[in-house]
Each structure stands twice: as structure tokens, then as C-alpha cells.
Amino acid sequence: MREEVANEVAAASRDDASPGSKAFETLGIDVDGTRALRRRFAYACLDWSERRPHLGGALGAAVLSLALKKKWVTQDTDDRALGVTTLGRRELARRVGLDL
């Protein structure tokens, strides 16, 4: 399933009419506004500690902001670690098929 999500992100980065763009908009992310920022829109960014890619760029920042606002994740004030809440696990599974 993660590969399917990655494919949709890639499509969203190229085409504002893609299912990926529509999915991000359904979550409440302004894809066109995010794409217009000076920051690179979306790319796979290798996490230095986990050695696994995550969503980088303006789209990744928008997803993080949304997840924090909706309390799907919590952020430790002392470091960059995130914790997925019970609500977050449920919503991510329901909305994008991620089973964490």
C-alpha cells in the first residue's frame, strides 16, 4: 500500500488533476497553494536516523501541519520525533489505507 501512496504523491507533484492531488485536497491541503510556494513541492527525503524515505518538501510540511492540527500525530518538544495517536492510526487507515 505504501507504494501506491508514493505513486499518488508522484502523480500529484506533476498533475493538479491527478487522483493524488484530489486526495490531498480532500484531506484539506491546498495543493495549488502548496505547489506555488518557493520550496520544492514534493520528493522522497531519506531520514538520516531511520534510513527510510519520507515525504519531503512543501507537501510533506503541509501534511505534517495537517496531522498535528487534527491531532493525528504528536510532536515531542525536545526533539523531532513524532508519535501517531490512536485517532491518527484510525484516520490514516481509513483515509489512505496506511496500517500503522
Side-chain angles (χ1 to χ4, degrees):
M1 186 65 193
R2 288 179 190 217
E3 185 175 328
E4 291 173 22
V5 171
N7 290 338
E8 290 301 325
V9 169
S13 70
R14 295 185 303 272
D15 177 12
D16 57 352
S18 74
S21 289
K22 290 177 181 152
F24 285 111
E25 288 170 358
T26 299
L27 290 174
I29 294 172
D30 178 5
V31 174
D32 289 334
T34 302
R35 188 179 279 115
L37 298 173
R38 291 178 49 115
R39 185 175 189 174
R40 192 169 162 191
F41 178 66
Y43 62 98
C45 180
L46 184 63
D47 182 277
W48 64 270
S49 61
E50 297 289 326
R51 306 305 300 164
R52 294 176 56 169
H54 63 267
L55 178 58
L59 186 59
V63 170
L64 174 60
S65 178
L66 175 81
L68 288 167
K69 179 179 174 184
K70 292 186 177 261
K71 301 194 184 319
W72 295 350
V73 298
T74 57
Q75 189 169 24
D76 188 346
T77 57
D78 294 335
D79 63 27
R80 297 174 52 155
L82 298 172
V84 181
T85 65
T86 301
L87 174 62
R89 288 180 198 282
R90 184 173 57 241
E91 288 299 310
L92 290 169
R94 182 176 74 83
R95 292 173 179 259
V96 294
L98 289 178
D99 186 21
L100 304 174

